[in-house]
Amino acid sequence: ADSKNMLDVDVRIDDRLDKLEGPGSIKILFTAYHNSNISDDELEKHNVIRAADWYDIEKILLAS
């Protein structure tokens, strides 16, 4: 079992959608080959923002 979803955090960043489950006001999916097929609709349903690189993540966090 993965215990990351038990952490009470404000920001979650991962390359796997299932690892972004749990509390967090900002959830960022770091784009990787194995998640490139996840649609924008699916991400929106999970309240997740896609980031292509660390510069995208920086922009997302600074805009919050």
Side-chain angles (χ1 to χ4, degrees), residues 6-63:
M6 295 173 60
L7 296 174
D8 186 14
V9 297
D10 293 327
V11 179
R12 291 182 179 274
I13 302 170
D14 208 292
D15 66 343
R16 292 185 45 136
L17 189 56
D18 61 314
K19 302 262 173 111
L20 296 173
E21 293 176 6
S25 56
I26 301 172
K27 298 179 182 184
I28 302 171
L29 181 70
F30 199 83
T31 299
Y33 176 77
H34 61 271
N35 68 29
S36 60
N37 64 332
I38 299 173
S39 71
D40 290 341
D41 288 341
E42 183 71 13
L43 293 179
E44 189 175 323
K45 185 170 83 171
H46 293 280
N47 197 30
V48 172
I49 303 165
R50 183 182 290 279
D53 52 36
W54 286 103
Y55 295 110
D56 278 355
I57 291 172
E58 178 183 35
K59 286 185 236 171
I60 292 164
L61 294 178
L62 290 176

